[in-house]
Amino acid sequence: MSEPVAAARGQAALLGPAEVRALAERFGVRPTKQLGQNFVHDANTVRRIVAAAGVGREDVVLEVGPGLGSLTLALLDVVDRVIAVEIDPVLASHLPRTVADRAPDLTDRLDVVEADALRVSATDLPGTPTALVANLPYNVAVPVLLHLLAEIPSIRTALVMVQAEVAERLAAEPGSRVYGVPSVKAGYFGTVRRAGSVGRQVFWPVPQVESGLVRIDRYPTPPWPQDAAHRQRVFSVIDAAFAQRRKTLRAALGSWAGSAAEAESRLRAAGIDPAARGETLTTGEYVELASRSSAL
Ligand code: SAM
C-alpha cells in the first residue's frame, strides 16, 4: 500500500489509480458487477461531483455505496458530516480505517452504516441527511434514488452519478423519446437536471457504459402532498400508463380505472385528452389524474 499522498493539514488525501488498486488488494476486494462496483480513481471527478452537489459545511450528506472511499474523502473535505451506507461488509468495515489514514483530522465527521440502501429508512441513520451525494450502483440506481427521496424527506438535494442513459431518462422532458417512469417519478419530488458527463476511464474496473451526473432539487414548496398514500396513488397511474406506452391513455388505463370508459371519464375530468399517450404527460398531469380516482 502506498503511503497517503501529502494533503494539506485538515484535508483528505484523495485516491488515485494506484491507491484504489492497492486498497482493493489489501482488503481482498474483487469488484462485482452484481453490486455495481466500479470505483472512481480520479480526484478531479470526485471534486467535480462534490461541487455539482453544492453542499457545504452545514450539510449532512448521505452517501450510498462509499466503496473504497474515493467520493467519501472528497465529501469529508467540505461537509461536516457524512453518513455512508454500504451493503458490502468488507468495504463498510474498512472505510473508517481508510479515512483515518488519509484524512486523520476528519474521522469524526464520518458514520458508516452497513445496510442495503434499498431498504434503509430515516430511523436507521445516525443523523438527518440534508443531501444525497452518490456514485450509485448502476443496476439499482433508479430504485435507490426514488426510495431515498421517498423515505428521507429531509434530503433537499440529490446529486448522483448514474449510467449516462439513465441520467438522460431521469432528466427527460415530456414528449422526449426517453421520457418514462423514472422521469415522471423523479419529477414528483423536485426539479431534475443533468449536471455533466463522466467518461469510463476514471473508474476501476472500466465500465462498459458512459456515466452522467443528475441533480434533483426538492421542491421548496411541494406542489402536491408528499405522503406515502398520495405517492402510491400517483405512482400506480404512472406505472399503468407506461406499462403500455404505445397505447392511448384511454386504453392503457382501462384496468387502473376499471374500464376504458371510466378511464376516459377520469382523463377528461383531469383535462387530459384520452387519445394522448402516457409519454406526453407532465408529472403534474399524473397527479391531477390520480386525484380523479375515487380513493384520493
Ligand atoms: N463511491 C465509490 C466510488 O465512487 O468509487 C463506489 C461506487 S460503486 C459504483 C457502488 C458502490 O455501491 C459499491 O461500493 C457497492 O458495494 C455499493 N452498493 C451496491 N449495492 C448497494 C446497495 N443496495 N446499498 C448500498 N450500497 C450498495
Side-chain angles (χ1 to χ4, degrees):
M1 169 70 205
S2 56
E3 284 306 304
V5 295
R9 196 177 149 71
Q11 279 198 326
L14 303 181
L15 302 178
E19 288 80 20
V20 162
R21 294 292 194 109
L23 286 173
E25 199 175 313
R26 195 210 270 178
F27 305 157
V29 169
R30 298 176 66 194
T32 72
K33 273 199 174 170
Q34 195 203 349
L35 291 179
Q37 292 176 331
N38 299 93
F39 303 113
V40 175
H41 57 55
D42 179 57
N44 285 334
T45 302
V46 290
R47 282 199 201 99
R48 213 177 119 205
I49 292 173
V50 175
V55 287
R57 274 280 161 266
E58 69 292 351
D59 279 298
V60 176
V61 170
L62 174 62
E63 185 193 359
V64 169
L68 296 167
S70 308
L71 178 57
T72 320
L73 288 163
L75 284 165
L76 290 169
D77 263 345
V78 301
V79 305
D80 262 353
R81 190 124 186 249
V82 174
I83 302 169
V85 173
E86 172 60 61
I87 198 170
D88 184 326
V90 174
L91 292 172
S93 67
H94 284 101
L95 186 59
R97 179 74 224 172
T98 303
V99 170
D101 284 346
R102 307 191 67 86
D105 301 334
L106 309 179
T107 49
D108 57 352
R109 295 184 179 180
L110 175 69
D111 284 293
V112 181
V113 178
E114 187 195 318
D116 180 349
L118 279 169
R119 293 170 192 280
V120 89
S121 64
T123 50
D124 299 324
L125 303 177
T128 306
T130 58
L132 167 68
V133 184
N135 172 14
L136 289 175
Y138 288 1
N139 40 355
V140 288
V142 170
V144 165
L145 177 64
L146 296 176
H147 171 75
L148 294 174
L149 287 169
E151 280 295 318
I152 309 181
S154 58
I155 293 174
R156 287 179 292 99
T157 317
L159 190 289
V160 290
M161 178 147 71
V162 294
Q163 193 176 326
E165 191 191 306
V166 173
E168 260 184 60
R169 261 181 210 291
L170 281 166
E173 299 286 340
S176 132
R177 189 181 45 83
V178 293
Y179 185 70
V181 172
S183 341
V184 192
K185 289 186 178 175
Y188 183 84
F189 298 102
T191 55
V192 187
R193 63 180 169 81
R194 296 211 50 185
S197 307
V198 178
R200 304 172 195 210
Q201 299 305 327
V202 301
F203 297 93
W204 175 77
V206 178
Q208 282 170 350
V209 293
E210 302 291 314
S211 300
L213 305 180
V214 176
R215 178 163 166 161
I216 300 175
D217 289 288
R218 210 185 271 274
Y219 301 119
T221 313
W224 37 75
Q226 295 279 309
D227 60 277
H230 183 271
R231 192 172 56 248
Q232 274 159 22
R233 294 263 159 220
V234 176
F235 282 17
S236 74
V237 195
I238 298 168
D239 289 334
F242 282 95
Q244 305 180 73
R245 69 182 281 156
R246 297 279 151 240
K247 289 195 175 173
T248 64
L249 285 167
R250 181 184 191 279
L253 296 179
S255 29
W256 166 75
S259 69
E262 176 61 20
E264 173 157 356
S265 104
R266 290 183 191 180
L267 284 157
R268 288 200 189 286
I272 298 163
D273 177 0
R277 289 187 167 72
E279 63 212 36
T280 64
L281 264 54
T282 63
T283 305
E285 286 175 309
Y286 277 106
V287 170
E288 184 58 34
L289 182 55
S291 76
R292 303 294 155 172
S293 68
S294 48
L296 203 75

